[in-house]
Amino acid sequence: MRTPIILVAAALTLATAAPAFADGQGATERRTAAFMEALERKNLTALSALLDPDVTMTLPLSFSGRKEDAARFTGKAEVLGYAKNAFAMFGKINFVNKKVTVSKDGKSSFVQADGDFTTADGKPYRNVYVYHFEWRDGRVIRSAEYGNPVTFCATFPATPGC
């Protein structure tokens, strides 16, 4: 029995596409890990290299419990300003129990992690995080940081909105 040529062509197409498809996921997973590592090292230069100039970042969980963003940052300068402020607030930034999930097309990634941080004055800060990143041409174009606002406000009660 002869295999129809269309089935052979389809099999060859899938076989040759699979490595490129997997590489897209692998590249996104590596970039996501690099982003998280840059946060842990407080490395603004490395973060900047991973951000699109027109990046947007939101903190979707409000301090009030209402359906509103706690904060929104537009453009690389604002996002880096947020990171710089966070770096000043924390002595140690360490994400543990990290789980990275990448979409099949490599255009989106999620990180679920526990924070094992200390504040700038050395007090423990434990929060839970989910990050969502959307990628284009190897850079973040949109991101969202989900952290427990109750934990944040209990640690930093003087923050506006807490």
Side-chain angles (χ1 to χ4, degrees):
M1 178 174 163
R2 298 183 68 180
T3 305
I5 191 87
I6 191 83
L7 291 177
V8 172
L12 286 172
T13 299
L14 287 173
T16 57
F21 194 71
D23 186 54
Q25 283 181 303
T28 299
E29 187 169 353
R30 287 187 296 276
R31 283 191 292 271
T32 302
F35 193 96
M36 300 306 289
E37 188 174 303
L39 290 175
E40 290 178 315
R41 284 202 240 139
K42 300 182 180 185
N43 186 334
L44 285 173
T45 303
L47 281 178
S48 181
L50 291 165
L51 296 174
D52 185 85
D54 297 321
V55 64
T56 59
M57 179 183 185
T58 58
L59 305 179
L61 300 177
S62 71
F63 298 131
S64 68
R66 287 188 223 112
K67 189 175 171 58
E68 60 189 31
D69 292 339
R72 179 177 185 82
F73 307 96
T74 303
K76 188 187 276 195
E78 284 188 15
V79 172
L80 290 173
Y82 167 72
K84 187 176 181 180
N85 186 52
F87 294 165
M89 293 175 74
F90 295 104
K92 176 184 76 168
I93 298 175
N94 187 33
F95 293 101
V96 296
N97 304 319
K98 286 182 265 192
K99 180 181 179 190
V100 177
T101 305
V102 178
S103 64
K104 287 186 180 183
D105 62 7
K107 293 181 180 180
S108 183
S109 61
F110 292 87
V111 178
Q112 179 181 348
D114 296 321
D116 181 17
F117 297 12
T118 60
T119 61
D121 59 359
K123 295 177 184 150
Y125 179 77
R126 308 287 188 270
N127 207 328
V128 295
Y129 295 94
V130 174
Y131 288 89
H132 176 224
F133 301 107
E134 291 180 36
W135 300 88
R136 182 179 61 216
D137 299 327
R139 292 197 171 103
V140 175
I141 57 170
R142 269 184 287 291
S143 69
E145 176 186 315
Y146 297 83
N148 186 337
V150 174
T151 303
F152 181 84
C153 286
T155 305
F156 301 103
T159 301
C162 285

PDB file of all heavy atoms in Angstrom, residues 114-126:
ATOM      1  N   ASP A 114       6.339  32.328  45.061  1.00  0.00           N
ATOM      2  CA  ASP A 114       6.238  32.886  46.408  1.00  0.00           C
ATOM      3  C   ASP A 114       7.392  33.860  46.587  1.00  0.00           C
ATOM      4  O   ASP A 114       8.511  33.594  46.147  1.00  0.00           O
ATOM      5  CB  ASP A 114       6.344  31.778  47.461  1.00  0.00           C
ATOM      6  CG  ASP A 114       5.196  30.787  47.377  1.00  0.00           C
ATOM      7  OD1 ASP A 114       4.055  31.218  47.143  1.00  0.00           O
ATOM      8  OD2 ASP A 114       5.444  29.580  47.553  1.00  0.00           O
ATOM      9  N   GLY A 115       7.108  34.969  47.236  1.00  0.00           N
ATOM     10  CA  GLY A 115       8.154  35.930  47.521  1.00  0.00           C
ATOM     11  C   GLY A 115       8.769  35.675  48.879  1.00  0.00           C
ATOM     12  O   GLY A 115       8.054  35.569  49.872  1.00  0.00           O
ATOM     13  N   ASP A 116      10.073  35.550  48.900  1.00  0.00           N
ATOM     14  CA  ASP A 116      10.827  35.438  50.146  1.00  0.00           C
ATOM     15  C   ASP A 116      11.730  36.673  50.191  1.00  0.00           C
ATOM     16  O   ASP A 116      12.904  36.613  49.877  1.00  0.00           O
ATOM     17  CB  ASP A 116      11.646  34.144  50.163  1.00  0.00           C
ATOM     18  CG  ASP A 116      12.432  33.967  51.440  1.00  0.00           C
ATOM     19  OD1 ASP A 116      12.135  34.648  52.439  1.00  0.00           O
ATOM     20  OD2 ASP A 116      13.371  33.149  51.425  1.00  0.00           O
ATOM     21  N   PHE A 117      11.122  37.805  50.512  1.00  0.00           N
ATOM     22  CA  PHE A 117      11.789  39.099  50.465  1.00  0.00           C
ATOM     23  C   PHE A 117      12.097  39.577  51.875  1.00  0.00           C
ATOM     24  O   PHE A 117      11.556  39.070  52.850  1.00  0.00           O
ATOM     25  CB  PHE A 117      10.881  40.171  49.832  1.00  0.00           C
ATOM     26  CG  PHE A 117      10.476  39.973  48.404  1.00  0.00           C
ATOM     27  CD1 PHE A 117      10.661  38.788  47.717  1.00  0.00           C
ATOM     28  CD2 PHE A 117       9.854  41.012  47.731  1.00  0.00           C
ATOM     29  CE1 PHE A 117      10.258  38.641  46.401  1.00  0.00           C
ATOM     30  CE2 PHE A 117       9.443  40.881  46.420  1.00  0.00           C
ATOM     31  CZ  PHE A 117       9.639  39.690  45.753  1.00  0.00           C
ATOM     32  N   THR A 118      12.926  40.606  51.938  1.00  0.00           N
ATOM     33  CA  THR A 118      13.038  41.404  53.153  1.00  0.00           C
ATOM     34  C   THR A 118      12.795  42.854  52.756  1.00  0.00           C
ATOM     35  O   THR A 118      13.053  43.258  51.623  1.00  0.00           O
ATOM     36  CB  THR A 118      14.428  41.289  53.822  1.00  0.00           C
ATOM     37  OG1 THR A 118      15.426  41.743  52.917  1.00  0.00           O
ATOM     38  CG2 THR A 118      14.706  39.864  54.274  1.00  0.00           C
ATOM     39  N   THR A 119      12.281  43.631  53.699  1.00  0.00           N
ATOM     40  CA  THR A 119      12.104  45.055  53.463  1.00  0.00           C
ATOM     41  C   THR A 119      13.486  45.723  53.523  1.00  0.00           C
ATOM     42  O   THR A 119      14.473  45.094  53.936  1.00  0.00           O
ATOM     43  CB  THR A 119      11.173  45.672  54.520  1.00  0.00           C
ATOM     44  OG1 THR A 119      11.762  45.487  55.802  1.00  0.00           O
ATOM     45  CG2 THR A 119       9.791  45.038  54.476  1.00  0.00           C
ATOM     46  N   ALA A 120      13.530  46.984  53.154  1.00  0.00           N
ATOM     47  CA  ALA A 120      14.809  47.707  53.178  1.00  0.00           C
ATOM     48  C   ALA A 120      15.424  47.720  54.572  1.00  0.00           C
ATOM     49  O   ALA A 120      16.649  47.718  54.715  1.00  0.00           O
ATOM     50  CB  ALA A 120      14.615  49.140  52.681  1.00  0.00           C
ATOM     51  N   ASP A 121      14.569  47.675  55.609  1.00  0.00           N
ATOM     52  CA  ASP A 121      15.100  47.660  56.982  1.00  0.00           C
ATOM     53  C   ASP A 121      15.237  46.230  57.541  1.00  0.00           C
ATOM     54  O   ASP A 121      15.416  46.048  58.737  1.00  0.00           O
ATOM     55  CB  ASP A 121      14.262  48.540  57.910  1.00  0.00           C
ATOM     56  CG  ASP A 121      12.805  48.126  57.990  1.00  0.00           C
ATOM     57  OD1 ASP A 121      12.403  47.156  57.312  1.00  0.00           O
ATOM     58  OD2 ASP A 121      12.048  48.779  58.732  1.00  0.00           O
ATOM     59  N   GLY A 122      15.152  45.223  56.669  1.00  0.00           N
ATOM     60  CA  GLY A 122      15.464  43.853  57.057  1.00  0.00           C
ATOM     61  C   GLY A 122      14.330  42.996  57.575  1.00  0.00           C
ATOM     62  O   GLY A 122      14.550  41.851  57.975  1.00  0.00           O
ATOM     63  N   LYS A 123      13.101  43.508  57.582  1.00  0.00           N
ATOM     64  CA  LYS A 123      11.965  42.702  58.066  1.00  0.00           C
ATOM     65  C   LYS A 123      11.506  41.726  56.975  1.00  0.00           C
ATOM     66  O   LYS A 123      11.541  42.047  55.795  1.00  0.00           O
ATOM     67  CB  LYS A 123      10.808  43.613  58.457  1.00  0.00           C
ATOM     68  CG  LYS A 123      11.133  44.500  59.637  1.00  0.00           C
ATOM     69  CD  LYS A 123       9.983  45.431  59.952  1.00  0.00           C
ATOM     70  CE  LYS A 123      10.409  46.362  61.077  1.00  0.00           C
ATOM     71  NZ  LYS A 123       9.753  47.651  61.012  1.00  0.00           N
ATOM     72  N   PRO A 124      11.048  40.552  57.365  1.00  0.00           N
ATOM     73  CA  PRO A 124      10.577  39.593  56.366  1.00  0.00           C
ATOM     74  C   PRO A 124       9.326  40.102  55.644  1.00  0.00           C
ATOM     75  O   PRO A 124       8.467  40.753  56.251  1.00  0.00           O
ATOM     76  CB  PRO A 124      10.248  38.330  57.158  1.00  0.00           C
ATOM     77  CG  PRO A 124      10.440  38.649  58.585  1.00  0.00           C
ATOM     78  CD  PRO A 124      10.967  40.031  58.725  1.00  0.00           C
ATOM     79  N   TYR A 125       9.243  39.810  54.371  1.00  0.00           N
ATOM     80  CA  TYR A 125       8.077  40.145  53.558  1.00  0.00           C
ATOM     81  C   TYR A 125       7.765  38.933  52.700  1.00  0.00           C
ATOM     82  O   TYR A 125       8.557  38.525  51.861  1.00  0.00           O
ATOM     83  CB  TYR A 125       8.367  41.368  52.677  1.00  0.00           C
ATOM     84  CG  TYR A 125       7.205  41.742  51.791  1.00  0.00           C
ATOM     85  CD1 TYR A 125       6.107  42.412  52.305  1.00  0.00           C
ATOM     86  CD2 TYR A 125       7.201  41.413  50.443  1.00  0.00           C
ATOM     87  CE1 TYR A 125       5.033  42.755  51.501  1.00  0.00           C
ATOM     88  CE2 TYR A 125       6.135  41.759  49.634  1.00  0.00           C
ATOM     89  CZ  TYR A 125       5.059  42.427  50.161  1.00  0.00           C
ATOM     90  OH  TYR A 125       3.991  42.766  49.359  1.00  0.00           O
ATOM     91  N   ARG A 126       6.623  38.336  52.966  1.00  0.00           N
ATOM     92  CA  ARG A 126       6.207  37.126  52.244  1.00  0.00           C
ATOM     93  C   ARG A 126       4.906  37.433  51.508  1.00  0.00           C
ATOM     94  O   ARG A 126       3.898  37.739  52.125  1.00  0.00           O
ATOM     95  CB  ARG A 126       5.962  35.959  53.207  1.00  0.00           C
ATOM     96  CG  ARG A 126       7.088  35.667  54.167  1.00  0.00           C
ATOM     97  CD  ARG A 126       8.282  35.006  53.459  1.00  0.00           C
ATOM     98  NE  ARG A 126       9.288  34.562  54.400  1.00  0.00           N
ATOM     99  CZ  ARG A 126      10.305  35.301  54.819  1.00  0.00           C
ATOM    100  NH1 ARG A 126      10.446  36.516  54.397  1.00  0.00           N
ATOM    101  NH2 ARG A 126      11.188  34.816  55.666  1.00  0.00           N
TER     102      ARG A 126
END
